[in-house]
Amino acid sequence: MKKLLALLLLSPLVVSEELEYPIELTCEVGNGIYYVEMTKDSNWITPKYSYFVGRKKINKKLKAVLNDKNEQFIYLKTGVGDGLIRLIINRLNLSVMEDTHADYVSGQCYKGFKEYNEKQI
């Protein structure tokens, strides 16, 4: 019983762990692909391709605002021309949602920067 009580008392500490920097993620959301890079000092989103920020390819780092006060989710947003990229990343399973203003599109993030060299079909 004492072990169970100790485990229950320690469980909030496991959920609220601090982020270990640097973090590099590849997030595939709907038809969009984003590289996410987070350090202690700055956060960046590099769109590989995203329909929601326009059909032109933006292949530059965009400074992102991070809100990681929530214990389970990381909120990142950045501006692109007239639009915004807003990503919500689940810290437990690396699922991701993009807020497109009209709807939410879901996807998955992977640790590291994934290479996309050839078309699949």
Side-chain angles (χ1 to χ4, degrees), residues 4-35:
L4 180 61
L5 183 58
L7 194 61
L8 289 174
L9 290 174
L10 290 176
S11 62
L13 297 175
V14 173
V15 174
S16 63
E17 290 176 358
E18 292 293 321
L19 294 174
E20 292 184 27
Y21 297 104
I23 297 170
E24 294 178 342
L25 300 172
T26 300
C27 297
E28 298 174 347
V29 188
N31 68 352
I33 300 169
Y34 302 100
Y35 294 144

Side-chain angles (χ1 to χ4, degrees), residues 71-83:
E71 294 178 351
Q72 185 175 349
F73 298 100
I74 296 170
Y75 299 89
L76 286 164
K77 70 177 179 178
T78 188
V80 179
D82 297 340

Side-chain angles (χ1 to χ4, degrees), residues 93-107:
N93 62 8
L94 291 182
S95 65
V96 62
M97 290 189 344
E98 180 177 10
D99 181 357
T100 66
H101 301 288
D103 202 359
Y104 287 95
V105 180
S106 63

Side-chain angles (χ1 to χ4, degrees), residues 99-117:
D99 181 357
T100 66
H101 301 288
D103 202 359
Y104 287 95
V105 180
S106 63
Q108 187 66 39
C109 291
Y110 305 94
K111 290 183 181 179
F113 294 144
K114 191 174 173 183
E115 292 291 324
Y116 297 89
N117 296 324

Side-chain angles (χ1 to χ4, degrees), residues 2 4 17 19 31 38 43-45 52-54 56-57 59 63 93 100 102 108:
K2 289 181 183 179
L4 180 61
E17 290 176 358
L19 294 174
N31 68 352
M38 293 182 273
N43 306 293
W44 303 90
I45 297 174
F52 298 110
V53 295
K56 64 181 181 179
K57 188 175 179 180
N59 199 10
K63 188 143 179 103
N93 62 8
T100 66
Q108 187 66 39

